[in-house]
Amino acid sequence: MRKFLKSALKIGGIFFGSFVIILAVAALFVLFDKPLIRKVSQSYISKKAGIPIQIGKLDYTLFPLQVTLSEVKATYRTPIFTMDVVVNRVEAAGNLRKLLKGTKPAFDTVDIDISELRFDQEKTSPVPIDLRSIFQQTSSILAYTRQASI
C-alpha cells in the first residue's frame, strides 16, 4: 500500500509539474511574443468583422488593460462601392475582467486617429441605403466603451 501511494504521488507530481511548466510557457508567449498575438488578433478581428484588416503594429499591457494598434487598414468591398479606412492609431484602455466576462462597457476610453477614409462608388444603388441599420451596428460596437473619440 505504501509503495502504491509513493508511486501515485510521484506520477501526480510529474503531471502537476508538467502542467505548471506548460502554463508558464503559454503565459510567456502571451506576454512576450507580440508578433504572434498580432497575427492571431488580426485574423480574429477580420473574421468577426467580415472584412480584411491589416494591423501594422500591436502593443498591449494586460494589467491594466491598454491596447494600441498602429497603421490599421481595412477595406470593405461590395459590387456597388468600395470603402477604404486607414487609421494611424487606435488606443483603448479598460478592464480585462469585464472584457473576458463580456460585461459592457469593457473599455473606459477608445481613441481613434483616422488618417484616410475613401469611398469609391462604382454604380448607383438600386435600393436606398439603410442608415438606421448602419447606426445600430455602430452603436452596438460602441456599447463596449464608455467614452470614444474619433
Side-chain angles (χ1 to χ4, degrees):
M1 180 72 173
R2 197 168 182 168
K3 188 176 182 181
F4 173 74
L5 183 61
K6 197 174 186 182
S7 64
L9 286 176
K10 277 185 182 179
I11 292 172
I14 290 171
F15 279 129
F16 181 72
S18 300
F19 179 72
V20 169
I21 289 172
I22 290 171
L23 190 63
V25 169
L28 289 174
F29 266 122
V30 168
L31 293 175
F32 295 114
D33 194 8
K34 292 188 179 184
L36 175 68
I37 300 301
R38 180 182 56 84
K39 288 178 186 176
V40 170
S41 300
Q42 181 174 320
S43 66
Y44 178 76
I45 292 170
S46 293
K47 191 182 299 182
K48 282 294 214 182
I51 59 174
I53 295 176
Q54 299 171 348
I55 299 172
K57 183 180 176 188
L58 169 70
D59 190 27
Y60 60 90
T61 58
L62 296 178
F63 303 105
L65 179 63
Q66 292 184 331
V67 179
T68 303
L69 303 170
S70 300
E71 302 170 11
V72 180
K73 297 176 185 174
T75 303
Y76 181 67
R77 295 187 196 285
T78 67
I80 298 170
F81 66 89
T82 301
M83 185 169 65
D84 295 320
V85 179
V86 179
V87 178
N88 284 339
R89 191 173 186 89
V90 177
E91 293 181 359
N95 190 332
L96 182 63
R97 183 178 299 151
K98 285 183 179 180
L99 183 64
L100 293 176
K101 285 183 177 180
T103 306
K104 295 179 185 178
F107 293 106
D108 295 328
T109 60
V110 175
D111 295 324
I112 303 172
D113 180 16
I114 298 176
S115 64
E116 183 179 346
L117 180 62
R118 185 178 22 199
F119 185 82
D120 297 325
Q121 186 171 357
E122 298 167 11
K123 298 179 189 176
T124 53
S125 175
V127 294
I129 297 174
D130 187 10
L131 290 177
R132 184 175 302 238
S133 68
I134 293 172
F135 289 141
Q136 287 176 344
Q137 289 174 348
T138 305
S139 68
S140 67
I141 292 170
L142 291 176
Y144 280 99
T145 185
R146 185 168 304 179
Q147 176 184 359
S149 64
I150 300 174

